[in-house]
């Protein structure tokens, strides 16, 4: 049994994986100060609730974009799972793909892992959109090579900036507006329209420009918690893969230990 850990800027996702089947998943807020012991108490209780035990986990693999959080996750693996954690991008779980950009070392681990998973699941040129703290657009060609992308503020960051900078604007939920009208009749509706449909317009516009530049048919894959929220009001996504990063970690582990 593999414990796959996706440590992002906002949340750390832990997933129990057998082969390529995700058996369970849990998330906790990212906090570099969280100790291995705190992780262990929390995780042990959740494993027990799902009918599993720590002794069933024989490998741990981590994708991380918050360097300060890595040490405690490594201690968690060594102390409580009796195994040295594998770090995505480092031997023996190197990327195994061409990263064809100006600064390959600067590519976030989650984006590289998403590219690996996307090409294991889909053929051809791909655009992967990951809705996280930032919204990232990643382009890879039919050979699986990573070609570059876009980093945009996540929708939560955009809303936070709007509310904090404008004293009279209230905090609103991120959700689809109640009607399809884009002419709001009150402040809250106008904010909802601007945030929600404005974000969809950004996604559609950027994808259209990327496809024009690629010059070949490209499949659009969405991942991240907010993908399904936008899906109901745009047809820009060809498929939604909610667990793309975890799937990528499982694939990297299998390639290193089976392939």
């Amino acid at each position: 049994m593999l414990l796959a850990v996706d440590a992002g800027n906002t949340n750390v996702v832990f997933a129990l994986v057998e082969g390529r089947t995700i058996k369970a998943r849990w998330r906790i807020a990212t906090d570099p100060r969280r100790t291995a012991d705190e992780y262990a108490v929390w995780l042990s209780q959740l494993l027990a609730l799902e009918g599993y035990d720590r002794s069933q986990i024989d490998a741990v693999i981590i994708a991380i974009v918050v360097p300060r959080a890595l040490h405690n996750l490594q201690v968690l693996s060594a102390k409580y799972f009796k195994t040295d954690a594998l770090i995505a991008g480092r031997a023996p779980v190197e990327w195994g793909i061409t990263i064809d950009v100006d600064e390959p070392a600067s590519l976030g681990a989650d984006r590289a892992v998403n590219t690996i998973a996307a090409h294991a699941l889909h053929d051809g040129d791909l655009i992967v959109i990951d809705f996280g703290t930032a919204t990232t657009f990643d382009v890879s060609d039919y050979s699986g090579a990573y070609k570059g992308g876009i980093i945009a503020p996540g929708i939560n960051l955009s809303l936070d900036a709007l509310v904090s900078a404008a004293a009279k604007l209230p905090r609103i939920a991120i959700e689809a507006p109640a009607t399809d009208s884009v002419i709001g009749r009150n402040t809250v509706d106008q904010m909802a329209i601007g945030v929600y449909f404005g974000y969809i317009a950004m996604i559609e516009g950027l994808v259209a420009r990327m496809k024009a530049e690629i010059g070949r048919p490209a499949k659009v894959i969405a991942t991240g918690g907010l993908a399904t929220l936008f899906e109901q009001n745009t047809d820009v996504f060809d498929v939604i893969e909610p667990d793309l990063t975890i799937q990528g970690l499982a694939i990297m582990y299998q390639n290193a230990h089976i392939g």
Side-chain angles (χ1 to χ4, degrees):
M1 198 82 76
L2 173 69
L3 181 66
V5 184
D6 173 20
N9 288 295
T10 302
N11 292 304
V12 183
V13 177
F14 293 81
L16 201 58
V17 186
E18 191 168 24
R20 293 191 184 181
T21 302
I22 298 172
K23 297 292 189 178
R25 68 182 66 70
W26 311 277
R27 67 179 60 231
I28 192 170
T30 302
D31 182 352
R33 299 169 300 176
R34 199 182 312 278
T35 67
D37 301 326
E38 289 174 306
Y39 279 123
V41 170
W42 172 80
L43 194 54
S44 294
Q45 292 175 330
L46 291 170
L47 283 164
L49 287 172
E50 297 285 348
Y52 296 101
D53 183 81
R54 284 191 290 114
S55 63
Q56 294 175 267
I57 295 170
D58 49 32
V60 177
I61 185 169
I62 302 170
I64 192 157
V65 297
V66 185
R68 289 176 53 224
L70 178 58
H71 174 71
N72 287 328
L73 291 169
Q74 289 176 303
V75 173
L76 169 71
S77 180
K79 182 176 180 180
Y80 290 98
F81 300 111
K82 311 303 180 187
T83 184
D84 290 333
L86 301 168
I87 311 302
R90 303 181 189 177
V93 282
E94 296 94 340
W95 300 133
I97 60 172
T98 300
I99 300 178
D100 183 16
V101 293
D102 294 341
E103 300 175 347
S106 69
L107 180 63
D110 53 345
R111 301 173 74 183
V113 173
N114 284 349
T115 299
I116 291 166
H119 271 276
L121 299 170
H122 303 278
D123 296 325
D125 292 83
L126 304 175
I127 299 171
V128 176
I129 307 174
D130 190 350
F131 295 94
T133 306
T135 296
T136 56
F137 300 70
D138 292 306
V139 174
S140 50
D141 68 15
Y142 53 86
S143 72
Y146 179 84
K147 306 299 287 186
I150 296 169
I151 301 172
I155 191 168
N156 282 294
L157 286 180
S158 298
L159 180 59
D160 287 345
L162 178 64
V163 172
S164 64
K168 294 183 69 175
L169 294 183
R171 167 69 58 179
I172 63 170
I174 296 174
E175 58 188 4
T179 73
D180 292 335
S181 173
V182 292
I183 302 175
R185 303 279 291 172
N186 57 67
T187 298
V188 169
D189 286 350
Q190 290 172 14
M191 289 178 66
I193 291 165
V195 170
Y196 183 82
F197 283 115
Y199 217 75
I200 286 178
M202 180 195 75
I203 295 163
E204 292 174 338
L206 291 177
V207 167
R209 287 173 176 266
M210 294 177 110
K211 285 185 172 182
E213 190 168 335
I214 292 166
R216 296 182 298 270
K219 180 177 288 187
V220 179
I221 301 167
T223 191
L226 292 173
T228 54
L229 174 63
F230 295 120
E231 181 190 26
Q232 59 189 290
N233 282 293
T234 182
D235 58 3
V236 73
F237 309 141
D238 292 299
V239 64
I240 292 179
E241 299 282 2
D243 296 304
L244 198 62
T245 311
I246 297 299
Q247 289 172 312
L249 288 172
I251 289 165
M252 292 182 71
Y253 177 78
Q254 282 193 318
N255 287 345
H257 291 80
I258 297 175

